[in-house]
Amino acid sequence: VYYGRGNIAKGYYGPASPWHSDGVKSWPEYDPEKAKFLLKKAKAIGTPIIFNSNNAYPLMQQTAELCEAMWGEVGFKVKLGIYDAAPLLQQRRKGEFHAESMGGSYRFDPDGWFSRQILSTSAMTQGQSRFHNERADKLIVEARQTVDQQKRLELYAELDSIVNEELPVMYIQNAAMMQAGVTNLMNYQPGVSGHPSSSQAGFRAAWLA
């Protein structure tokens, strides 16, 4: 999907980020034969999975198609749905899905991710994964109140290790941010989040000479 660019993600932040931590315990190793064995042992071959993706993002769709094939290979019965934003939001609110192929933009501070997508009281968490882990909540609050970056890195490493064990979110890919431009585009500054236009960056502050 990404043509060999970026890296396999073991946590929210990739190796190029100052918030990357080597202390994150990875998710379970890819082992389709073990997965087949566990499904058979649990008499769960053919278990249905409703797997959704937004049709506005080809990378998400292509990732979903790969996951659909891999999950189907080990014995799940995957129903992949590609939807517009409105019906996708309705399914999220009703909880009528098991997984969704999603993406996240870069956050300058980790709290911008964890307090939205992992904290159990967050509206986004309640509307998507429904994840609730008391230890994870405590780590997020403690990290938010800590000014020492090394200490925060340790807290977030433990937090991402919990995420990788319980899998409310499965980190798959840290994408490389790529930009292209022309010589007569003046004052263009790439936005760190990857969006073509953001506050004080992107096309918003640029002009053609």
Side-chain angles (χ1 to χ4, degrees):
V1 174
Y2 291 88
Y3 297 95
R5 298 189 179 276
N7 59 277
I8 296 174
K10 300 297 177 65
Y12 181 72
Y13 287 96
S17 171
W19 289 109
H20 174 76
S21 175
D22 292 326
V24 176
K25 183 180 178 181
S26 182
W27 25 251
E29 183 179 351
Y30 175 65
D31 189 341
E33 293 305 316
K34 183 178 180 181
K36 291 177 184 178
F37 170 78
L38 291 174
L39 274 178
K40 186 175 181 179
K41 183 179 180 181
K43 298 181 180 180
I45 297 293
T47 297
I49 293 180
I50 298 174
F51 189 22
N52 296 335
S53 178
N54 192 319
N55 65 5
Y57 301 96
L59 290 174
M60 294 182 193
Q61 293 182 40
Q62 293 163 14
T63 300
E65 289 165 358
L66 281 176
C67 290
E68 176 194 20
M70 295 165 76
W71 291 352
E73 180 184 350
V74 300
F76 290 107
K77 186 177 180 180
V78 185
K79 180 181 178 183
L80 178 60
I82 309 296
Y83 299 98
D84 290 331
L88 187 61
L89 181 59
Q90 289 179 354
Q91 291 200 39
R92 284 182 191 161
R93 288 173 175 169
K94 294 178 181 179
E96 297 177 346
F97 70 105
H98 299 103
E100 181 180 339
S101 179
M102 305 176 71
S105 58
Y106 186 83
R107 305 289 174 178
F108 290 97
D109 188 277
D111 189 65
W113 165 259
F114 292 111
S115 66
R116 291 175 179 167
Q117 297 285 357
I118 306 300
L119 186 67
S120 65
T121 55
S122 160
M124 295 190 74
T125 302
Q126 293 175 359
Q128 294 177 10
S129 68
R130 277 76 167 169
F131 182 60
H132 185 188
N133 180 291
E134 291 185 4
R135 178 58 182 166
D137 284 351
K138 288 179 180 179
L139 288 167
I140 293 169
V141 173
E142 184 178 351
R144 181 186 292 168
Q145 298 171 344
T146 303
V147 295
D148 182 272
Q149 181 168 341
Q150 183 57 43
K151 177 61 177 177
R152 294 186 77 198
L153 279 169
E154 294 171 3
L155 294 171
Y156 289 127
E158 182 181 349
L159 178 57
D160 258 345
S161 297
I162 293 173
V163 172
N164 286 342
E165 180 178 0
E166 299 201 16
L167 296 177
V169 176
M170 184 173 185
Y171 302 122
I172 296 177
Q173 167 78 359
N174 296 127
M177 188 177 76
M178 294 176 285
Q179 300 281 342
V182 291
T183 56
N184 63 332
L185 183 63
M186 302 290 103
N187 200 46
Y188 176 76
Q189 297 292 329
V192 71
S193 68
H195 295 295
S197 186
S198 57
S199 178
Q200 299 180 337
F203 300 131
R204 179 177 304 196
W207 65 88
L208 292 172

